[in-house]
């Protein structure tokens, strides 16, 4: 039986279409099994009363994951929460969570912050993303 990888996809709720496209990409390989611990836009966590509550809820979601996928679009550089998720992945647990930066397809500009903090940077291709998860997960 194939290993199931626990992943967290860091993404901006304002750009949730990119999250959906990444989910489709991951699901397109029948030999790859994963469980998504991300926080989609319609998740009740989205309605946390304050930043501390939201941070703790995100940390809780990340706790079961071995790999954090971050969409490295240029918007990520300016996202407080993506920066917070990087910090959590690196310092919020007993051992660091691996970070995979995914460069959006066709993007001319990407987030230096995300790429500088990633264990590996991959292109927006099914095999590249899945191989990185298998290697680091």
């Amino acid at each position: 039986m194939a290993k199931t990888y626990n992943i967290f996809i860091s993404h901006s709720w304002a750009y949730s279409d990119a999250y959906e496209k990444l989910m489709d990409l991951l699901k397109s390989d029948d030999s790859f099994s994963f469980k998504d611990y991300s926080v989609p836009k319609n998740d009740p966590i989205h309605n946390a009363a304050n930043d501390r509550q939201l941070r703790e809820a995100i940390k809780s979601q990340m706790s079961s994951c071995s790999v954090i996928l971050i969409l490295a679009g240029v918007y990520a550089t300016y996202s407080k929460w993506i920066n917070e998720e990087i910090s959590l992945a690196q310092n919020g647990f007993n051992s660091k969570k691996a970070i995979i930066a995914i460069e959006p397809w066709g993007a001319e500009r990407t987030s230096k912050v995300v790429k500088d903090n990633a264990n590996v940077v991959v292109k927006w291709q099914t095999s590249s993303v899945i191989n990185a998860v298998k290697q680091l997960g």
Side-chain angles (χ1 to χ4, degrees), residues 94-137:
N94 291 336
S95 58
K96 290 183 177 188
K97 307 284 184 182
I99 296 174
I100 299 169
I102 303 169
E103 292 185 318
W105 190 82
E108 292 180 20
R109 296 174 54 211
T110 56
S111 172
K112 182 170 171 30
V113 170
V114 172
K115 292 192 299 186
D116 286 351
N117 285 286
N119 296 79
V120 66
V121 179
V122 299
K123 299 292 184 192
W124 185 277
Q125 296 169 321
T126 304
S127 60
S128 298
V129 175
I130 289 175
N131 288 340
V133 171
K134 287 179 176 179
Q135 179 186 7
L136 297 172

